[in-house]
Amino acid sequence: MGKIENGADGFIDAFSEYLSDGLFIVPTHTWNSVCRSNPFYDVRSTMPCIGTLARVAAFRTDGVRSLHRAHTVFGKSAAEWVEGEEHSASPAPVGGCLSRLYEESGKVLLIGVGHDKNTYLHAVDERLQIPDRLNPEPFTITIKDHEGNMLVSPPFHTHFTAAADTCVSEYYPNYKEAFEYTGAVTYSQLGNALVYVCDARKMTDTAQRIWAKADRDLCISHEPIPAEYYR
């Protein structure tokens, strides 16, 4: 984006003010440190692994960091939005923070990145029950909550695709032309950054139309999705 007055805090302040009647959700992923070999998450101290904005957002006192370990929410109903997420058994379950953007007709902003960083599409995979998306071998996570209480997650299934040589999200850009055609994404500019403005409901509905016609997994290699699947 370029220089921002007051840095990451200034960015969060601006978006929180603009969305004062709604919610501003910031990814604060911890998948690099909270994992099978280290299944412990302290909501008050575990550091996000995806950059400055996440590291700042996770520890602001005006936000509510989810016990799910993947996001921090700002807004009047933030605590209600993330309530019960410690019971999640997968990264983006139906009824969870990201998945509910569908019911609320929420928007996803990809700022300076593409659909390979569009975590909401994992929620689409889970909603549509796309095969081979969750690791069949779960593990439990010990969670230390905001009051210092120790909780234990249900058996947690990470994202996993046996048929691909990397995380399936690397192939989410395959959706780009389909989303453009159906109006699920438009483009804008924020400072120096190109911004994808993505409509959660339209992305989901487009993906559902595509997968209803698909005869193979469309996100395990770089290949265009046939236009007849979404036109």
Side-chain angles (χ1 to χ4, degrees):
M1 289 181 287
K3 293 188 67 174
I4 301 172
E5 184 177 353
N6 296 323
D9 281 307
F11 177 90
I12 295 169
D13 289 341
F15 269 81
S16 296
E17 180 180 352
Y18 180 73
L19 297 167
S20 60
D21 292 328
L23 293 171
F24 176 45
I25 302 170
V26 180
T28 48
H29 298 307
T30 58
W31 44 261
N32 195 45
S33 58
V34 183
C35 52
R36 191 179 301 273
S37 61
N38 182 50
F40 178 72
Y41 170 57
D42 186 339
V43 71
R44 299 180 297 183
S45 65
T46 299
M47 189 65 65
C49 61
I50 57 168
T52 299
L53 182 64
R55 291 194 296 269
V56 171
F59 302 111
R60 284 190 36 143
T61 57
D62 57 341
V64 179
R65 192 178 187 186
S66 172
L67 297 182
H68 181 277
R69 71 188 175 94
H71 34 262
T72 298
V73 182
F74 298 86
K76 297 173 184 177
S77 58
E80 178 184 348
W81 188 261
V82 300
E83 185 177 359
E85 286 211 305
E86 64 272 23
H87 303 302
S88 297
S90 62
V94 174
C97 179
L98 287 183
S99 183
R100 286 160 58 200
L101 292 177
Y102 178 83
E103 284 78 17
E104 298 293 332
S105 297
K107 301 293 190 299
V108 176
L109 299 187
L110 303 174
I111 302 173
V113 296
H115 289 299
D116 57 319
K117 301 297 188 290
N118 190 345
T119 304
Y120 177 76
L121 294 178
H122 286 297
V124 175
D125 283 347
E126 293 197 40
R127 179 182 291 269
L128 301 183
Q129 299 182 342
I130 304 301
D132 193 29
R133 289 294 187 264
L134 296 177
N135 195 321
E137 299 181 5
F139 62 94
T140 58
I141 300 169
T142 299
I143 302 167
K144 192 172 186 178
D145 71 10
H146 296 278
E147 288 73 42
N149 302 311
M150 304 298 284
L151 312 171
V152 177
S153 77
F156 191 87
H157 299 262
T158 58
H159 288 138
F160 170 86
T161 306
D165 57 0
T166 186
C167 179
V168 68
S169 60
E170 179 176 324
Y171 305 112
Y172 284 156
N174 293 356
Y175 285 114
K176 186 174 184 290
E177 287 76 16
F179 288 163
E180 291 172 345
Y181 180 82
T182 63
V185 62
T186 56
Y187 301 100
S188 190
Q189 197 81 17
L190 186 59
N192 298 328
L194 174 66
V195 180
Y196 291 41
V197 184
C198 309
D199 184 290
R201 181 177 288 274
K202 289 182 179 179
M203 284 192 295
T204 307
D205 291 346
T206 300
Q208 185 171 31
R209 187 185 313 171
I210 289 169
W211 284 96
K213 297 179 180 179
D215 58 359
R216 64 189 185 282
D217 195 327
L218 300 169
C219 289
I220 57 173
S221 64
H222 292 294
E223 62 173 315
I225 293 174
E228 60 268 23
Y229 286 9
Y230 55 83
R231 290 182 183 270

